[in-house]
Amino acid sequence: MTTATSRTGSGNGTGTDPGPAGEASGRALAVREFERLARARLDPAHYDYFAGGAGDEVTLRANEAAFGRLALLPRVLRGAAGPDLGVTLLGRRAATPVLVAPTAFHRLAHPDGERATARAAAAAGTIMIVSMAATVAVEDVAAAAPDAELWFQLYAQSDAAFTEAVVRRAEAAGCSALVVTADSPARGRRERELRRGFTDLPDGLRCENLRDGGRVRPIEMWPGLSWEHLAFLRRITALPIVLKGVLHPDDARRALGHGVAALLVSNHGGRQLDSVPATIDALPEIAAAVDGAVPVLLDGGIRRGTDVLKALALGADAVAVGRPVIWGLAADGERGVARVLGLLRDEVEQALTLCGCASVRDLDPGMVRRTC
Ligand SMILES: Cc1cc2nc3c(=O)[nH]c(=O)nc-3n(C[C@H](O)[C@H](O)[C@H](O)COP(=O)(O)O)c2cc1C
Ligand SMILES: CC(C)CC(=O)C(=O)O
């Protein structure tokens, strides 16, 4: 158990005085600046937990680098005024195509943790996918942000009764979809964590969704998870199921046969199997396999509005951001997350305008070129 404590407990609170960190985050002009602000405030072991990837971090780097190899080809003279950024996903409207990906342990980044993230997501009019490994219970996240549209991310556990109990909690808290993570039959080997000896949460922080009576269960990354368990989840809940962590087009096709409501193309931010492709490179084949049958989402490496446009043009219906939200949270709590989501929103709006698009639906694969 690591005894390192976060240095984020002071100076980046949620009061009215932004303080030095608040001022710096208010001045930040780009998502990547938030990573620098967050790094300066976080315990180094915690920064490395959030930032790191598996193995040589080839996939971690590839996620961002692959966007850099794609160019946008704008259209001109379309008279497209005031782009509409809204998207409809699983029957719900989101004001922007940028969702909050599920990430664990938000209270390591800021004392308000997932409560702050949910409030910022609600203010941005977007969907927050609450991690099963959240450090605030899903009921308390929902209570902190009654207007937030929440989806719940599930690591199905080998104990079916416990898995079902967690699903019931998510339903009762008002979550409107279940995001089942499929890329984690084991935990990726993350050498930054091993070097830092980061093996557990500091005293006082727990995975609150894993409470079971008087104890908190350890989270299980379960190699036994199979398509049959997806069928089990469909039997026990009416919530739409989003399958997260799909990279192979055959799996995408198979998921359609299992009644998934949406797919999330993800490599877990490069934290699971290293050397898998960048998600933006995997997207076109998956989009072709799905062929519009269900919405396709993507996460991994999105740092700019132009990255969002490239993903939407190549077949995603929406994207999600993981680390950018953590950096905003660590830098300045709810305000920092709001600023990160706001910057991305404004960048998407400007890029759509500059591409001659009246809405995200005007993007198509012909507007993206590979440059090398
Ligand atoms: C610190 C951290 C914790 C994460 N925790 C979870 C998790 O609990 N469940 C999950 O399905 N994915 C988790 N992920 C993966 C994210 O949902 C997402 O796939 C990834 O962060 C996207 O890449 P990005 O960080 O480049 O945006 C985590 C990622 C990070 C960086
Ligand atoms: C607690 C972990 C299992 C959360 C996770 O998915 C991650 O760190 O990538």
Side-chain angles (χ1 to χ4, degrees):
M1 167 116 161
T2 179
T3 51
T5 48
S6 169
R7 282 191 261 125
T8 59
S10 61
N12 63 348
T14 53
T16 47
D17 175 12
E23 284 162 25
S25 90
R27 283 194 306 272
L29 291 176
V31 165
R32 284 192 181 88
E33 287 176 46
F34 277 90
E35 175 163 6
R36 289 195 285 278
L37 294 173
R39 185 172 196 166
R41 295 179 70 73
L42 285 168
D43 180 291
H46 300 162
Y47 170 79
D48 272 343
Y49 164 69
F50 289 129
D56 289 323
E57 301 189 337
V58 171
T59 297
L60 174 69
R61 288 188 296 277
N63 275 348
E64 287 192 41
F67 282 108
R69 284 194 292 275
L70 298 175
L72 284 168
L73 233 55
R75 303 301 306 267
V76 297
L77 301 179
R78 282 178 149 185
D84 170 16
L85 274 62
V87 292
T88 302
L89 294 167
L90 310 181
R92 314 275 172 146
R93 185 97 179 138
T96 97
V98 182
L99 280 51
V100 175
T103 51
F105 306 166
H106 286 198
R107 290 190 64 213
L108 269 189
H110 189 277
D112 296 339
E114 288 82 359
R115 287 183 179 87
T117 312
R119 287 190 195 113
T126 196
I127 296 163
M128 173 181 174
I129 309 176
V130 179
S131 169
M132 176 147 160
T135 41
V136 175
V138 63
E139 298 85 351
D140 296 335
V141 178
D147 295 336
E149 182 73 31
L150 303 178
W151 293 358
F152 186 80
Q153 177 268 326
L154 180 79
Y155 284 116
Q157 306 289 288
S158 59
D159 180 339
F162 181 67
T163 301
E164 182 166 351
V166 174
V167 172
R168 295 281 168 262
R169 284 182 61 185
E171 289 172 340
C175 296
S176 58
L178 198 61
V179 178
V180 177
T181 298
D183 59 20
S184 305
R187 194 181 172 101
R189 187 181 151 84
R190 304 165 190 175
E191 291 173 15
R192 293 200 213 191
E193 288 175 29
L194 296 172
R195 257 180 232 113
R196 296 283 189 190
F198 180 76
T199 53
D200 203 353
L201 287 167
D203 289 342
L205 299 191
R206 290 282 171 272
C207 289
E208 296 295 341
N209 298 320
L210 288 152
R211 279 199 185 277
D212 182 15
R215 69 181 175 129
V216 177
R217 293 193 181 216
I219 205 158
E220 196 183 8
M221 289 182 147
W222 179 36
L225 188 64
S226 76
W227 294 104
E228 283 162 33
H229 299 102
L230 208 59
F232 162 76
L233 291 170
R234 282 197 67 218
R235 276 199 304 280
I236 65 158
T237 183
L239 291 179
I241 292 180
V242 180
L243 193 63
K244 175 174 188 277
V246 180
L247 291 174
H248 200 298
D250 287 349
D251 284 337
R253 273 183 284 269
R254 190 154 184 195
L256 296 180
H258 279 77
V260 302
L263 287 172
L264 173 41
V265 178
S266 175
N267 55 33
H268 213 108
R271 295 162 74 80
Q272 286 298 102
L273 178 64
D274 195 23
S275 86
V276 305
T279 50
I280 191 67
D281 289 337
L283 174 67
E285 266 193 275
I286 304 258
V290 170
D291 196 21
V294 296
V296 174
L297 315 181
L298 171 140
D299 71 26
I302 300 264
R303 302 293 180 265
R304 284 286 186 187
T306 46
D307 300 335
V308 179
L309 262 70
K310 290 170 189 175
L312 299 181
L314 291 175
D317 292 278
V319 301
V321 286
R323 293 181 185 84
V325 167
I326 301 276
W327 305 145
L329 185 63
D332 198 15
E334 178 185 339
R335 262 191 307 260
V337 179
R339 179 103 176 112
V340 162
L341 294 174
L343 282 171
L344 286 171
R345 187 217 165 275
D346 292 351
E347 288 183 5
V348 170
E349 183 174 45
Q350 198 202 22
L352 281 172
T353 304
L354 290 171
C355 280
C357 295
S359 84
V360 294
R361 288 173 301 283
D362 286 351
L363 294 159
D364 64 65
M367 296 174 74
V368 177
R369 287 283 185 287
R370 183 169 285 278
T371 57
C372 53

